[in-house]
Amino acid sequence: MVWSYGNGTLVLMYRAGAVHSITSKGEGIDWTTADGIGVQQDAALLDQVYGSAAQEEELRDKSVAYAYWGNKTAPYAYLIFFVKNDKIVQIKCGRVA
């Protein structure tokens, strides 16, 4: 399911009738994580709020994906922040069984 508001998009992915992941991207979005981190904020906030990422990966478009795991046992909860030019451009959250 895709919802568009102004310059932003919220994508809900479903698996077996339940929300599996949520992605927030675009400019002018005021959606944030529970800790107040949102799209278009400075990427430096990630270290201040969440510490070092568990995984980092540079993507083809020269953005960097920073993954944070919420727990150490299944199902695993995650937050992935996509950063380009030192700004958060996309946030994805979900669970992995």
Side-chain angles (χ1 to χ4, degrees), residues 5-86:
Y5 296 96
N7 294 329
T9 303
L10 185 65
V11 179
L12 298 156
M13 299 293 292
Y14 291 88
R15 181 179 289 160
V19 174
H20 173 69
S21 70
I22 301 170
T23 303
S24 167
K25 57 186 174 179
E27 296 180 20
I29 298 174
D30 60 3
W31 302 315
T32 65
T33 66
D35 298 306
I37 302 298
V39 173
Q40 296 305 312
Q41 290 183 331
D42 289 332
L45 291 172
L46 295 174
D47 279 338
Q48 293 172 17
V49 174
Y50 297 111
S52 297
Q55 296 171 281
E56 296 180 23
E57 181 180 350
E58 186 170 339
L59 306 175
R60 289 185 205 158
D61 67 354
K62 302 300 180 194
S63 64
V64 179
Y66 296 93
Y68 297 85
W69 294 96
N71 55 326
K72 298 190 185 306
T73 58
Y76 304 99
Y78 64 84
L79 278 170
I80 302 174
F81 296 90
F82 298 87
V83 173
K84 192 166 190 175
N85 299 324
D86 297 321

